[in-house]
Amino acid sequence: MSDEPRFTFGRGQKLRGRGAFKPVIDARACSDGGAIAVHGCPNNGSANRIGISIGRRAGTAARRNRIKRMIREAYRLSQHELPHTAPGPYDLVVIVRAHEPLGLDEYRTRLADAMRHIHATWQKRTNRRNATEAKPRTAPTDLESPPGV
RNA sequence: GCACCGGAACGGUCGCUUGGAAUCCACCCGGGUUCCAAGAGGAAAGUCCGAGCACGACAGGACAAGGUGGUGGGUAACGCCCACCGGCCCGCUGCUGGGUCAGGGACAGUGCCACAGAAAAUAGACCGCCUUGCCGGGGCUUGCCUCGGCAGGGUAAGGGUGAAACGGUGCGGUAAGAGCGCACCGCUCGAUCGGCGACGACCGAGGCACGGCAAACCCCACCUCGUGCAAACGCAAACAGUUCUCGCUUGAGACCUUCGGGCUUCAAGCGCCUGCGGUCCGCAGGUUUGGGAACGGGUAGCGCGCUUGAGCCGUCGGGCAACCGACGGCCUAGAGAAAUGGCCGUUGCCCCGAUGCUCGCGCAGACGCGCGGGUGUUGGGGAACAGAACUCGGCUUAGCGGUGCUCGC
RNA sequence: UGGCCCGUGGUGUAAAGGUAGCACAAGUGGUUUUGGUCCAUUUAGUCUUGGUUCGAAUCCAAGCGGGCCAG
């Protein structure tokens, strides 16, 4: 941590396995950005993890590989600017729609916008849950006044 | 149109996967860091054929089902490749050259051939042509000619239909005709010669019989056991299954009894198990609606199969070629929500524009202008189709650039 | 990855190798004060490319597109 931040992208930062994608999508925190849509969900680990889901409608295998590598490169280069604190590091699932492949900078801005949106969503959710636990089943009315803000 | 070749290269930097080495953390499993090496294709694609490999089945044979189909060769094998033969098309004509063909059998049998047409398959006869008899009319040279009708016979030349009409053209022949006869061509059969063979050349005979469709059923010859690396094999959570086990002592009560005892409930103690706790002590709970152990099968998961192979490169030799042999050298991707990427620079390739030099042709004949080719400088642009998933040999499809030959404009 | 099936107007569906139909939809005209109903009429198709055949939606081959199953 004392060193300069490095831009690695190892196996621990990838979503792996058949069962890893479904809970993230079922968490229903999604930011739709046209060409790509990002689902997010806090995990209990120490760092953000990302998984890319790209269907056959996006093109042939070579084209799908190309888009996937661009998104991965965009995530790799901007991983330290993305939020990974507060409600926790996130598991991300990027859903790729059918589109013409974009440039690297375009993917970086879209990814950052989506991450900000998801981060805000989860901050709101955790604040609401803390409020309801603080005053159990007495006041469902004061949803818009969470304490501590 | 055919054949062949290429599918960018180098460097820097940030990353990914695999392998190796060093080092650090960790009881083990494993993980981190640094360095080094390697890292998509001609189609990796479609999954259309053929194999290897794995498992299951299988004495042998036959049937069924599917596939292939000129001949000879190549190959591990093929529906692939090479050479040749034959048919068709194109060009040329002094030679033959190029393209293309699922190219066995229609005397084994069954079936189909719409419409049109007289007739569509052991031929048959609508209009015709010719002829005989009878009846009627006309003509005149009075026994012939001609016209019409009815009945009978001979023909298949001509007509029109059709994709296709039972050899074609010509001459002879005939009442009219007809392979009825002859010549050439086609067809069938036979002999000889050449060729491993498909077949070809040539000679003779037959007077023509045998329409087309088998990518219609079918017959003949040959080939094929089925399933597929998510195969197969190893380790193995969870859930379910099977088996075993859950004790000892004392006291009290109920029941049975062959009076030896058996069975069960409650309470206490010892033992055992679980949790708290670093350990002992201790505390709490459990000790048959539950717990523990073992077993085989095996899911998730992990490993293996997994990359040395009918392999690649070079030289020499054999063969018309496909291909084969000998020798030498090389090791060259192994992922698993799935690794080969991003950025920068230089060079090479292609296109466009500007410009310099040079060559050829045309106009002009002094300069010059236009077109085409080669080469240099500079600016801008582009680079397709497409990503290994067990591995090979082919085919097909997608698609960029170049070279050579040929054809057309 | 492996296996199986199917492609006919815009939609749904027929058609033994011999003229591609039917219904709904769409367009135009008529009927009606207008709309609907009804009547008449028009447009539009065999997934693509080759081959067999006199002739192909049908038979054969290759490709393209879509769907289903195993895991």
Side-chain angles (χ1 to χ4, degrees), chain A residues 92-133:
Chain A
L92 303 173
V93 171
V94 181
I95 309 284
V96 181
R97 304 247 160 73
H99 69 287
E100 287 293 316
L102 307 170
L104 186 61
D105 297 333
E106 185 71 18
Y107 281 119
R108 288 184 70 169
T109 55
R110 282 173 192 245
L111 202 59
D113 289 346
M115 270 304 284
R116 266 198 301 279
H117 185 238
I118 288 170
H119 189 57
T121 303
W122 281 104
Q123 272 179 336
K124 215 186 304 178
R125 285 194 191 180
T126 50
N127 288 342
R128 188 184 314 168
R129 192 166 56 217
N130 291 339
T132 52
E133 280 173 0

Side-chain angles (χ1 to χ4, degrees), chain A residues 48-115:
Chain A
N48 285 349
R49 294 190 300 171
I50 187 169
I52 302 168
S53 171
I54 179 164
R56 189 163 297 175
R57 305 177 71 91
T60 55
R63 187 172 180 157
R64 293 200 301 269
N65 267 338
R66 169 95 188 145
I67 295 173
K68 206 161 14 172
R69 284 168 181 154
M70 291 298 278
I71 292 175
R72 220 163 46 208
E73 185 72 11
Y75 174 78
R76 182 177 78 84
L77 290 177
S78 56
Q79 56 182 323
H80 299 297
E81 306 155 16
L82 299 177
H84 54 276
T85 54
Y90 294 102
D91 277 347
L92 303 173
V93 171
V94 181
I95 309 284
V96 181
R97 304 247 160 73
H99 69 287
E100 287 293 316
L102 307 170
L104 186 61
D105 297 333
E106 185 71 18
Y107 281 119
R108 288 184 70 169
T109 55
R110 282 173 192 245
L111 202 59
D113 289 346
M115 270 304 284

